[in-house]
Amino acid sequence: MRVLAVKRISRDAESSSALERQELQLSEAITKGHYTVAGWVEDATVSGAVNLDQRPSLGLWLRAPLVHEWDALMVTEQDRISRDDMHWWSFIQWVLDNNKDIIVLDDPGFDISTPNGRMIAGIKAAQAANYRNAVKEKKLNQTRHYRKENLWGGGTWPFGYRAVAFTHDNATRWRLEADPITAPLVREAFDRITNKGESLGSIARDWNSRGILTALDHMRLTNAQENRVGVKTELKGTKWTTSTMTAVFTKKSLMGYAMHKGEPIIREGCPVTWADPLLTEEEWERLQEAMAERARGKGGPSRPATHLAGVVFCACGEPLYSNTSRRKLKDGTIRNYSYYLCHSWSDRGGTRCRWVTSWQKSLIEEILETRFLAELGDQEILTRTYVPGVDKSKEIARIMKSLDNLTGNLTGLTPGSAGAQTVIQSMREHEEALQTLKAMTMIPSRWIEEGTGITYRQQWDQDDWTARGDFLRKREIFLLIGGTTKDPSARLEIPDHSTRRRGEVAVFRGQDASIRPTAG
């Protein structure tokens, strides 16, 4: 008889022992029974509630062509097949219809060929289903209790935090605290994105080069270093990408909020907090705005990449995009020309601006360099760091809302009842928190400027054009150019502060003095 040896576990924690034990028992039974092995099936970390035809490995053997390669399915225990009674009966019908058989090693009397045999097997399937449902309900009750007590229920640590054991109600429980390694990285990324204008992609490349681990790998490494028992320690080697950076820095868990299915858990009108915030609500909103703005900047028609993208603009306000063309000269040689065109050049609806001109790349670079060095060359480069203030007005408003909700909850409750006492105690706690917040001194947010000891000209001279473009974009310095190639007019826009946006600049109308390129 050709047997299909099937192994299954529900948790990775079993993989080092349960799968090995199953394989040993199956191998001994196959040798002793002189069976022919049609194949080995291993579905690790697959719940018994998953239907058999949907399992990654076993499902392949229930369909052609592999379904014709075996006669009997062999498992060590019946619940390795299924822990769902309805799936069980469906599979039994499939087995009988396809002239297959089932061998269960811990039940020598297992027999589905007779009504009584199927009844006994069905009772065992129902027991397995009841056990699974009991475990599921216990887990749900535990999760509800953890949420009520603001305890960490398990899973991958939110980036910037780590789980720390402590004693709660005479039992060891876990709570989230700022991680000494990843919490500073959250602050670093916030500063680089919101204050310095860096992209998620550039930060991802930098973090990969520095060997910074992603959230899951950092947690597993910490587990290994601290010799934690019953947890995963094998690193997956996942790298940072724009997508993984986005997933981390759009989560509200950065504000210490308890999360469920990607959304904050709300209680009495306020988000439940797991831990102290790594970012204030104001900072989190600034971060989302900065990332959204960069994402919007990637839209529009696809154009060839250029080191001055987002730096040079037509006088009409549209960006200039780079292009190249190949021309055959009289001597037969091929020459490549690099130039810039107004974005409106591609508009076929008749709305092209009056400055639709083909600007030579070298001319654009010369004009930009001349104006930039003339206006900023001898000035010292300053770094600006945003220092968040202390403003608890939003938290005060949330607590006031919660107090209103609690006051409403008292309606209909019997005075002195357990429910009324619970609500009154919550109101007392909210009142205490409210008084604490109101007593705090409000400090406005501010920017701190520090000199670098380097002038703009020194920085410009040591960079190539790719670095210069990046330098100008981060500082939101850009060039508006109009007129003609023989009589160009240009204006360099330098923001007064880092929050100046390109869209706030009025359309250039060519009133500035012309800049004529030098000969040659």
Side-chain angles (χ1 to χ4, degrees):
M1 179 183 293
R2 301 171 302 172
V3 299
L4 184 64
V6 175
K7 302 178 292 179
R8 182 190 66 80
I9 59 170
S10 298
R11 302 184 306 276
D12 270 347
E14 291 183 300
S15 59
S16 62
S17 57
L19 286 176
E20 294 176 0
R21 289 196 303 272
Q22 290 180 54
E23 182 169 351
L24 179 61
Q25 294 172 32
L26 291 169
S27 298
E28 291 176 349
I30 290 170
T31 301
K32 185 176 180 179
H34 302 288
Y35 295 112
T36 300
V37 179
W40 284 88
V41 173
E42 179 179 308
D43 280 313
T45 68
V46 176
S47 169
V50 178
N51 211 340
L52 285 78
D53 60 359
Q54 297 176 1
R55 296 178 188 174
S57 299
L58 181 58
L60 299 175
W61 289 87
L62 303 183
R63 299 186 293 271
L66 295 180
V67 68
H68 306 297
E69 301 296 322
W70 58 280
D71 304 308
L73 183 147
M74 180 184 288
V75 291
T76 56
E77 302 96 12
Q78 182 178 324
D79 62 6
R80 295 298 179 184
I81 298 176
S82 178
R83 286 186 179 272
D84 186 292
D85 54 330
M86 299 305 295
H87 292 169
W88 168 262
W89 284 115
S90 177
F91 182 63
I92 292 303
Q93 185 63 58
W94 183 90
V95 168
L96 296 174
D97 290 344
N98 287 273
N99 296 317
K100 304 293 185 182
D101 199 2
I102 298 175
I103 301 171
V104 180
L105 299 186
D106 73 340
D107 187 2
F110 183 89
D111 183 11
I112 60 172
S113 64
T114 66
N116 286 341
R118 290 192 292 273
M119 178 185 69
I120 294 172
I123 292 174
K124 294 182 67 175
Q127 291 174 336
N130 287 335
Y131 174 77
R132 181 180 64 82
N133 289 333
V135 171
K136 182 179 179 180
E137 184 62 27
K138 181 180 179 181
K139 181 64 176 177
L140 287 174
N141 289 336
Q142 183 186 61
T143 300
R144 295 188 191 103
H145 172 71
Y146 283 178
R147 289 178 187 169
K148 182 179 179 181
E149 299 295 326
N150 296 345
L151 302 174
W152 171 245
T156 303
W157 305 338
F159 190 75
Y161 294 96
R162 60 175 294 165
V164 178
F166 74 110
T167 301
H168 179 78
D169 289 342
N170 298 320
T172 299
R173 294 291 182 259
W174 299 85
R175 64 186 173 198
L176 290 180
E177 293 182 359
D179 183 85
I181 295 176
T182 57
L185 291 170
V186 171
R187 299 298 310 180
E188 174 191 320
F190 168 78
D191 179 63
R192 293 172 68 173
I193 294 169
T194 61
N195 300 333
K196 298 181 172 62
E198 292 193 47
S199 68
L200 295 177
S202 66
I203 298 175
R205 290 188 293 273
D206 176 47
W207 282 12
N208 287 331
S209 67
R210 289 159 56 186
I212 294 174
L213 301 179
T214 55
L216 180 61
D217 276 354
H218 173 70
M219 181 182 73
R220 292 189 173 189
L221 177 62
T222 304
N223 288 337
Q225 292 173 336
E226 297 182 357
N227 297 317
R228 298 191 178 188
V229 180
V231 293
K232 303 170 187 177
T233 57
E234 182 180 355
L235 303 187
K236 287 184 171 293
T238 307
K239 297 296 183 181
W240 288 102
T241 64
T242 300
S243 296
T244 55
M245 296 289 289
T246 301
V248 166
F249 293 105
T250 54
K251 289 182 178 178
K252 294 186 177 181
S253 57
L254 297 173
M255 294 182 284
Y257 292 168
M259 307 293 290
H260 177 62
K261 295 184 177 180
E263 294 296 330
I265 299 172
I266 304 298
R267 185 184 303 149
E268 299 168 357
C270 292
V272 176
T273 56
W274 264 330
D276 293 334
L278 302 178
L279 298 178
T280 66
E281 184 174 343
E282 178 188 3
E283 290 173 330
W284 187 86
E285 291 174 352
R286 286 185 60 222
L287 179 62
Q288 307 315 301
E289 179 186 354
M291 291 192 296
E293 182 174 341
R294 290 198 67 91
R296 287 193 297 269
K298 295 178 181 178
S302 175
R303 299 298 181 196
T306 170
H307 50 259
L308 292 182
V311 175
V312 290
F313 290 80
C314 178
C316 71
E318 290 289 329
L320 297 181
Y321 70 90
S322 68
N323 209 342
T324 58
S325 63
R326 294 165 58 87
R327 296 179 186 177
K328 188 174 183 178
L329 304 181
K330 292 182 180 181
D331 60 3
T333 60
I334 302 297
R335 183 175 179 180
N336 292 324
Y337 289 86
S338 297
Y339 56 92
Y340 284 88
L341 288 172
C342 176
H343 191 280
S344 67
W345 176 268
S346 61
D347 191 335
R348 304 304 179 188
T351 59
R352 297 179 184 177
C353 78
R354 63 188 179 94
W355 286 287
V356 176
T357 302
S358 176
W359 299 93
Q360 286 188 16
K361 176 183 175 182
S362 58
L363 176 61
I364 290 289
E365 291 177 348
E366 182 181 355
I367 292 174
L368 175 60
E369 182 175 55
T370 300
R371 180 57 62 91
F372 176 78
L373 294 179
E375 297 197 23
L376 291 176
D378 297 328
Q379 293 186 26
E380 181 183 16
I381 299 175
L382 302 177
T383 59
R384 305 179 76 244
T385 303
Y386 179 79
V387 180
V390 178
D391 182 359
K392 300 297 182 181
S393 57
K394 292 184 179 180
E395 295 179 48
I396 290 173
R398 281 199 296 266
I399 292 179
M400 294 292 291
K401 181 179 178 181
S402 295
L403 283 170
D404 289 341
N405 294 335
L406 290 169
T407 301
N409 292 340
L410 280 175
T411 305
L413 292 176
T414 303
S417 66
Q421 291 298 321
T422 299
V423 173
I424 291 173
Q425 179 60 31
S426 294
M427 293 180 69
R428 289 196 185 109
E429 293 173 357
H430 280 62
E431 285 285 359
E432 292 175 1
L434 187 62
Q435 295 306 316
T436 300
L437 291 175
K438 287 183 175 180
M440 296 180 68
T441 303
M442 300 302 169
I443 302 174
S445 301
R446 64 193 188 282
W447 289 89
I448 295 179
E449 290 188 344
E450 295 178 323
T452 62
I454 301 175
T455 66
Y456 283 98
R457 187 183 305 277
Q458 290 171 329
Q459 184 68 49
W460 187 270
D461 290 342
Q462 72 181 27
D463 288 340
D464 59 16
W465 274 104
T466 299
R468 291 170 180 173
D470 188 51
F471 181 86
L472 295 172
R473 275 190 296 273
K474 289 178 180 178
R475 286 154 182 81
E476 296 181 343
I477 298 173
F478 55 94
L479 182 75
L480 287 161
I481 186 165
T484 66
T485 55
K486 293 182 179 180
D487 187 21
S489 296
R491 186 174 75 225
L492 191 70
E493 284 291 338
I494 305 170
D496 296 330
H497 52 79
S498 65
T499 58
R500 181 74 173 270
R501 293 291 177 257
R502 200 164 53 232
E504 298 174 359
V505 178
V507 174
F508 174 54
R509 302 193 182 280
Q511 70 271 31
D512 286 19
S514 297
I515 295 181
R516 300 182 182 277
T518 58

